[in-house]
Amino acid sequence: MNFALLFLAGVFSGPALASPPTPPTPPVLTLKAARALGAGSTVTVRAVVLNGSEMGNLRFVQDGEAGLALYAQAAKLPGYGELQAGDSIQVTGQLKVYNGLMEMDPIASFHKLASGQRLHPVRVPVAQATTAFVEANEGRLIEIKGVTRLLTPAGAPAEALVGNANYLLDGTAGALLRVGAASTGPQGLIGATAPTGEPFDVRGVMSQYSPGGTGGYQLLPRLATDFVRGSGLPRLTEEPVPVNVSPTGFTVVFSTLNAGDTRVRYGLDAKQLKESRVDDALTTHHSLTLNDLIPGTTYYVEVSSRNAAGTETASPVPFITTGGKRVRAGGKN
């Protein structure tokens, strides 16, 4: 027997070489757990984006417990510049502290999971505004309710807002609002003015700028729409009126302070509005046409509008179709 052949046969029929072990998949952490690991830690988190390019290279994200800043240059991280408020993402990167603000930088990878997610702010009355300016809220969306005025640090009323400028909510020290230089354009903050004549709410992301590492909390509104009148409810500003009235119909038009859908209920009895129509498009200028009505007849019409903040409804009002005969299909009377 040829022992050389037996040796070679044993080599090639022996056990297969083990493949290198697969690196373990990093666990997905909550933002609170990730923040607790501190600067220098590489973490993977899932959260909802709070802002878009109006904050430059910064994107803030939050989950149900905490928030976190992300920092990257859009040219070096494909897709990062397109992230918008409401996008749900999973992101991996290293934590660091920049002038008191904990942020993920560099970002190793991210991918978008969904879009159009609803944002849930932490709501605080303006009388307690300073209680929101704390480390636990860093990176979270905050809504300060019932603000009556916006002042400069010198105490003067704020006029057209300026980029990289500070303001005080109701003139309160410790309730600082800062306008970013990147929030430009028709919806931007720069050049916008705060509402006057009634209390309003202010939404923004809680950030921090403190070279010493403590204090320095500042609320960063994103766009002019973060100054919210009427608590965000649609609130009717123009009562419903009929236009384009004909024997068999009319168009109901009305306006609201904030955008909402368009809802109309109607009938021959103000207490029994049996018919309804809805247009789901969100708008402040509402228009909905009712057809196939009875000529020369009074209809009671109730309008309402709904958005994420709630529903506003007006009392029914009478509209009258013009006289004449209803034209049936085929053009016969």
Side-chain angles (χ1 to χ4, degrees):
M1 181 176 291
N2 190 321
F3 288 100
L5 292 175
L6 288 174
F7 174 77
L8 290 173
V11 170
F12 288 103
S13 63
L17 294 176
S19 58
T22 302
T25 302
V28 178
L29 303 176
T30 65
L31 292 179
K32 184 177 181 180
R35 292 178 64 93
L37 295 177
S41 303
T42 297
V43 298
T44 298
V45 297
R46 289 179 189 153
V48 177
V49 179
L50 298 179
N51 66 283
S53 59
E54 68 275 7
M55 287 189 177
N57 292 327
L58 275 174
R59 295 293 186 276
F60 288 90
V61 297
Q62 73 174 22
D63 58 15
E65 294 183 307
L68 182 68
L70 312 179
Y71 181 87
Q73 296 181 25
K76 297 182 179 180
L77 188 63
Y80 180 81
E82 284 72 54
L83 289 176
Q84 298 180 3
D87 288 343
S88 174
I89 64 171
Q90 179 169 311
V91 57
T92 300
Q94 188 176 51
L95 300 180
K96 76 175 190 180
V97 175
Y98 175 77
N99 286 320
L101 176 67
M102 179 170 285
E103 61 185 25
M104 183 182 286
D105 176 23
I107 296 174
S109 65
F110 82 92
H111 63 274
K112 188 165 75 171
L113 305 173
S115 59
Q117 303 300 297
R118 185 174 176 182
L119 306 180
H120 298 279
V122 176
R123 295 184 170 91
V124 180
V126 69
Q128 301 171 20
T130 56
T131 66
F133 288 69
V134 293
E135 185 69 16
N137 286 334
E138 186 184 87
R140 303 181 78 180
L141 185 63
I142 307 296
E143 184 176 280
I144 307 296
K145 302 189 70 66
V147 177
T148 59
R149 55 184 180 159
L150 201 62
L151 301 182
T152 68
E159 297 180 351
L161 301 180
V162 179
N164 292 333
N166 296 335
Y167 302 91
L168 299 177
L169 300 173
D170 273 8
T172 303
L176 186 146
L177 178 145
R178 183 169 177 82
V179 174
S183 185
T184 59
Q187 300 298 319
L189 287 165
I190 295 177
T193 56
T196 58
E198 64 174 341
F200 58 97
D201 305 332
V202 178
R203 294 176 185 153
V205 182
M206 188 60 65
S207 185
Q208 185 179 16
Y209 184 80
S210 174
T214 59
Y217 296 105
Q218 50 190 11
L219 189 69
L220 307 181
R222 300 156 297 177
L223 297 166
T225 50
D226 278 332
F227 294 97
V228 183
R229 294 185 294 165
S231 297
L233 288 165
R235 186 189 287 184
L236 270 69
T237 55
E238 292 182 3
E239 296 297 323
V241 295
V243 298
N244 301 325
V245 181
S246 73
T248 59
F250 44 74
T251 298
V252 181
V253 297
F254 64 100
S255 297
T256 53
L257 175 64
N258 296 305
D261 63 11
T262 304
R263 297 168 178 263
V264 173
R265 295 173 63 227
Y266 61 101
L268 300 178
D269 185 335
K271 296 181 180 179
Q272 297 185 43
L273 305 177
K274 297 181 179 181
E275 304 293 332
S276 63
R277 295 279 306 281
V278 178
D279 184 345
D280 291 326
L282 301 182
T283 182
T284 57
H285 301 289
H286 305 265
S287 175
L288 205 154
T289 300
L290 306 182
N291 293 311
D292 200 30
L293 304 182
I294 302 170
T297 301
T298 298
Y299 284 85
Y300 292 89
V301 177
E302 174 196 273
V303 301
S304 62
S305 182
R306 177 184 298 175
N307 62 17
T311 303
E312 287 281 299
T313 302
S315 300
V317 293
F319 293 168
I320 305 174
T321 55
T322 59
K325 295 182 179 180
R326 188 200 307 253
V327 178
R328 298 180 181 175
K332 296 181 180 180
N333 293 336

